Amino acid sequence: MSHSHTLRIKPLGLALLTGTLTGIIVAYFRLALSQINHLLQSLLVQSSQHFFQGLLFLGLLLILGVFAGYCLKAESNISGSGIPQVSGQLQGQLQQNWWRVLIYKFLGGLATIGSGLTLGREGPSVQIGASIGQGMAQLSRSKEEVSNYLIAGAAGAGMAAAFNAPLSGLFFVIEELLHQSNRRLFVYTGITIASSSLTAKYILGNQVSIPIPVFNPDNFPNLIQCLLLGILVAFSGLLFNQGILSLKNIFSNWQAPLYLKTALPFLVTGLFLLYDPQLFGSGANLIQLPFESSLTLPNLSYLYLVKLVLLLLAFCSGIPGGIFFPLLALGSLVGQIYGLTLAQLGLASADLIPYFSIIAMACHFAAIVRAPLTGMVLIMEMTGASLPWLLPMMIACYTADLVSEFLGNQPIYESLLEIILQNKYKPTN
């Protein structure tokens, strides 16, 4: 065996320890988010009957907004999802203080995601994991190659623990973070991710992230329906990415105090939540709509537009929080709109709407992140969907990815990394 492929005991032990620590910290991050969510949702329910409770709800959100601003001011590298920063770090373009990122991303993520903003837990979980991997690499004085494996593996471990999706974590490292694979990468990162996932499951249990009922329609979406869905979702992905990049530019040019920028999405979201509590959170409840209530095109369109606006406002303000889960929820809504339209035109059975909803989530990921393989595996793991889904999902996902390529829709995390690097090297007067 050549020396370059030899596995060593020390990195194997470090990978195992790093994954275990990541699993513990991300699991308790999720538990704390759940507690804060429950508290604020209870207050939100009471707000519909008591005006004072509504003022208290808004006041609490503004306090969390100011605290998120404090965390961002204390450590600027926690801005947004954190995935572009991890990618830049692995490429040698960015440096991060691992313990400051770990502390402030954890606390800032609790303030933003816990408050019910349209943000996801996966980005912060990835950056939290990467900071643990970096800390372990520095404390053990590991060489550059092993350090990168620990950082990337812990980033994937954070994603695996966030979604109970270990395979997705591994594919995410290969397809999105490192864009390569070799034997050492598979083994070291695989051990990190597996140990994280096992640890998180021990603490949280073994439930899927998006539970869906078992349903068996008479037929699956056909080739034409999958192709058209992929095309439609590609345009939604283009709207999503262009919206983020445009509003990011507006926020960066807005000469306002940081605390005002960070408090604004909390205030706007809070007002929307008082009007419509189903807008609370990243949108997981909206994925369940085909199984729980009758669907109408006006209501689905309203939910899509409002959740998109709330996501753009929260994410582009720079506060810590991810876009994975919200983009999946938005993709689900596109699939529901598509399926309901076909059903009303008599072109598809209404039984297919849940299929379109779930397949469109993977398509939206493929169109926005431009990582179709990760998107497919992620949705299969998050929903527990069975293998008959795979072919129609694959057709739709690769259609969405190819159409996005022809539309010039660049991978969102690469675009966000470019913005970070431009701001870093922007000349000052």
Side-chain angles (χ1 to χ4, degrees), residues 228-384:
L228 291 176
L229 178 60
I231 293 169
L232 176 64
V233 174
F235 279 95
S236 176
L238 180 65
L239 174 65
F240 185 99
N241 283 8
Q242 291 303 312
I244 283 181
L245 298 179
S246 299
L247 200 57
K248 272 278 186 188
N249 185 53
I250 292 172
F251 263 98
S252 66
N253 292 323
W254 182 24
Q255 301 299 317
L258 176 64
Y259 291 108
L260 178 59
K261 290 183 180 181
T262 58
L264 181 62
F266 286 83
L267 176 61
V268 174
T269 301
L271 292 172
F272 270 98
L273 292 178
L274 289 173
Y275 168 73
D276 187 356
Q278 73 174 325
L279 297 170
F280 188 96
S282 59
N285 58 311
L286 305 180
I287 297 169
Q288 306 289 345
L289 288 177
F291 306 103
E292 296 176 351
S293 60
S294 57
L295 307 176
T296 66
L297 288 175
N299 187 51
L300 291 173
S301 301
Y302 148 77
L303 290 171
Y304 175 85
L305 291 172
V306 174
K307 288 301 280 184
L308 177 61
V309 169
L310 292 178
L311 167 66
L312 295 179
L313 182 61
F315 185 76
C316 296
S317 69
I319 56 178
I323 58 174
F324 264 37
F325 219 122
L327 76 82
L328 297 180
L330 288 168
S332 171
L333 290 170
V334 174
Q336 293 173 50
I337 291 169
Y338 174 77
L340 183 58
T341 301
L342 291 185
Q344 291 183 350
L345 293 174
L347 299 175
S349 167
D351 291 340
L352 289 179
I353 294 175
Y355 272 97
F356 292 130
S357 168
I358 292 170
I359 290 172
M361 287 195 287
C363 290
H364 219 216
F365 187 93
I368 292 167
V369 183
R370 304 300 306 282
L373 187 58
T374 303
M376 286 187 287
V377 176
L378 179 66
I379 298 307
M380 299 288 279
E381 286 190 296
M382 288 181 69
T383 62

Side-chain angles (χ1 to χ4, degrees), residues 23-323:
I24 292 171
I25 293 174
V26 172
Y28 281 102
F29 180 66
R30 287 180 57 181
L31 287 173
L33 284 177
S34 178
Q35 292 298 316
I36 299 171
N37 276 168
H38 180 72
L39 172 65
L40 283 167
Q41 281 184 301
S42 299
L43 194 57
L44 181 59
V45 170
Q46 297 171 24
S47 301
S48 62
Q49 292 148 359
H50 303 284
F51 179 73
F52 175 75
Q53 300 286 1
L55 290 179
L56 182 61
F57 176 75
L58 283 178
L60 188 53
L61 285 190
L62 287 175
I63 291 172
L64 289 171
V66 171
F67 179 71
Y70 164 77
C71 292
L72 184 59
K73 187 174 183 179
E75 179 50 69
S76 61
N77 282 321
I78 68 167
S79 174
S81 73
I83 293 174
Q85 291 93 316
V86 174
S87 181
Q89 184 179 14
L90 290 169
Q91 295 171 31
Q93 297 173 303
L94 293 174
Q95 295 296 322
Q96 299 188 82
N97 183 313
W98 68 269
W99 64 266
R100 291 179 62 83
V101 169
L102 174 59
I103 292 170
Y104 287 110
K105 192 71 170 196
F106 191 99
L107 295 175
L110 290 181
T112 56
I113 305 162
S115 65
L117 269 62
T118 305
L119 292 168
R121 63 178 182 258
E122 69 301 315
S125 299
V126 166
Q127 193 175 22
I128 286 169
S131 66
I132 296 169
Q134 181 187 350
M136 190 64 67
Q138 290 182 4
L139 293 173
S140 64
R141 299 181 180 178
S142 297
K143 294 182 179 179
E144 182 180 358
E145 181 191 34
V146 173
S147 295
N148 284 342
Y149 290 159
L150 289 174
I151 293 169
M159 180 174 171
F163 285 147
N164 191 11
L167 278 178
S168 305
L170 184 58
F171 281 116
F172 177 73
V173 170
I174 295 168
E175 195 174 25
E176 177 61 28
L177 291 181
L178 293 179
H179 307 287
Q180 61 170 310
S181 64
N182 58 54
R183 182 167 178 265
R184 281 184 172 180
L185 171 66
F186 265 111
V187 175
Y188 293 147
T189 59
I191 288 174
T192 307
I193 291 166
S195 57
S196 171
S197 188
L198 286 170
T199 304
K201 283 182 180 182
Y202 178 79
I203 297 170
L204 300 170
N206 195 29
Q207 295 80 23
V208 295
S209 296
I210 306 174
I212 59 170
V214 176
F215 60 100
N216 297 296
D218 295 333
N219 54 357
F220 285 87
N222 62 40
L223 174 62
I224 300 300
Q225 290 168 341
C226 291
L227 290 171
L228 291 176
L229 178 60
I231 293 169
L232 176 64
V233 174
F235 279 95
S236 176
L238 180 65
L239 174 65
F240 185 99
N241 283 8
Q242 291 303 312
I244 283 181
L245 298 179
S246 299
L247 200 57
K248 272 278 186 188
N249 185 53
I250 292 172
F251 263 98
S252 66
N253 292 323
W254 182 24
Q255 301 299 317
L258 176 64
Y259 291 108
L260 178 59
K261 290 183 180 181
T262 58
L264 181 62
F266 286 83
L267 176 61
V268 174
T269 301
L271 292 172
F272 270 98
L273 292 178
L274 289 173
Y275 168 73
D276 187 356
Q278 73 174 325
L279 297 170
F280 188 96
S282 59
N285 58 311
L286 305 180
I287 297 169
Q288 306 289 345
L289 288 177
F291 306 103
E292 296 176 351
S293 60
S294 57
L295 307 176
T296 66
L297 288 175
N299 187 51
L300 291 173
S301 301
Y302 148 77
L303 290 171
Y304 175 85
L305 291 172
V306 174
K307 288 301 280 184
L308 177 61
V309 169
L310 292 178
L311 167 66
L312 295 179
L313 182 61
F315 185 76
C316 296
S317 69
I319 56 178
I323 58 174

